[in-house]
Amino acid sequence: MGTVILHSVVSVDGFIADDEGDVGPLHEWYFSGDVPILPGSGSGSGGAEGDEPFDHSGSGGGIRVSRASADYVRSTWDSIGAIVMGRNLFDQVNGWEGKPPAGDHVVVVSHRPKPDGWHPEASYHFVDDVTEAIATARALAGDGTVAVNAGDVGGQILAAGLVDEVAMDVVPVVFGSGRRYFGGIDGQHLLEDPHVVIQGERVLHLRFRVRR
């Protein structure tokens, strides 16, 4: 089965959004380069040109990253088979209107069911347990990566020992407060030395394997 990767763009002080869920300048690097990126180019129907990946605002826009970031971003998106997200993010972006920015499947961790009549054609699956969420996402993704959105649900999945790697796109901004990358996770969780370190423009791409 594919790797489970906890991922998000994050401020240098560890926040993925402000207290209201606004990402502010965190996604500016998606639009500050010269190389166009097409989300989901290797994953069938996942994403469309102009969709912003893991977008918390739902605003979209033409994505152009720096040359240094381009290959990493493309390979990351193209590897994704399924996304796991929490209900707060689903509600905030309305599930990307049934068109995930990468991959073909989405698993939403929620105690509430899918809204009645919401995009019945979309492969969105609602479960109320993080262990079930990862099992469902792995089955749907096959050999593809399971991308877990950071935040409270992502922190719970890491704490449950279900994450293989932590990926952070670190942006040079300090938020001071807001929604934390690891949510309200308790205790220490050791990671290996970073095996990916790529300096782009206005972003530093890092990836760590979780120590078992």
Side-chain angles (χ1 to χ4, degrees):
M1 290 192 177
T3 303
V4 177
I5 299 179
L6 178 62
H7 173 263
S8 186
V9 183
V10 60
S11 69
V12 294
D13 56 343
F15 295 99
I16 58 174
D18 67 16
D19 295 301
E20 304 302 321
D22 189 343
V23 298
L26 287 179
H27 288 178
E28 288 180 359
W29 66 274
Y30 283 132
F31 313 107
S32 61
D34 299 323
V35 183
I37 300 293
L38 300 180
S41 60
S43 58
S45 63
E49 185 172 0
D51 289 345
E52 183 174 347
F54 312 110
D55 182 9
H56 292 226
S57 68
S59 60
I63 300 172
R64 291 179 176 271
V65 301
S66 67
R67 178 68 60 182
S69 294
D71 288 344
Y72 173 73
V73 172
R74 282 198 189 101
S75 64
T76 298
W77 291 353
D78 286 351
S79 72
I80 293 172
I83 292 173
V84 177
M85 67 192 305
R87 185 59 181 254
N88 285 340
L89 178 56
F90 173 86
D91 288 342
Q92 190 165 353
V93 302
N94 196 28
W96 302 296
E97 299 297 341
K99 297 177 181 178
D104 296 317
H105 312 281
V106 175
V107 179
V108 182
V109 181
S110 174
H111 295 296
R112 291 176 286 138
K114 182 190 298 188
D116 289 340
W118 185 88
H119 293 287
E121 78 288 350
S123 181
Y124 279 57
H125 308 263
F126 286 63
V127 302
D128 62 3
D129 175 80
V130 295
T131 301
E132 183 182 357
I134 294 301
T136 301
R138 279 186 178 277
L140 292 167
D143 293 332
T145 296
V146 173
V148 177
N149 278 283
D152 286 330
V153 166
Q156 293 171 32
I157 293 171
L158 175 64
L162 300 173
V163 171
D164 299 311
E165 297 185 18
V166 172
M168 310 176 90
D169 299 321
V170 183
V171 174
V173 59
V174 175
F175 269 37
S177 67
R179 300 183 181 180
R180 296 186 177 278
Y181 182 99
F182 295 104
I185 194 171
D186 292 324
Q188 295 183 355
H189 301 268
L190 294 177
L191 309 178
E192 301 292 350
D193 290 339
H195 63 281
V196 171
V197 180
I198 299 172
Q199 182 177 341
E201 294 179 15
R202 304 297 298 169
V203 65
L204 177 66
H205 306 288
L206 299 174
R207 188 174 289 190
F208 311 81
R209 294 185 178 92
V210 177
R211 184 173 293 184
R212 300 300 187 190

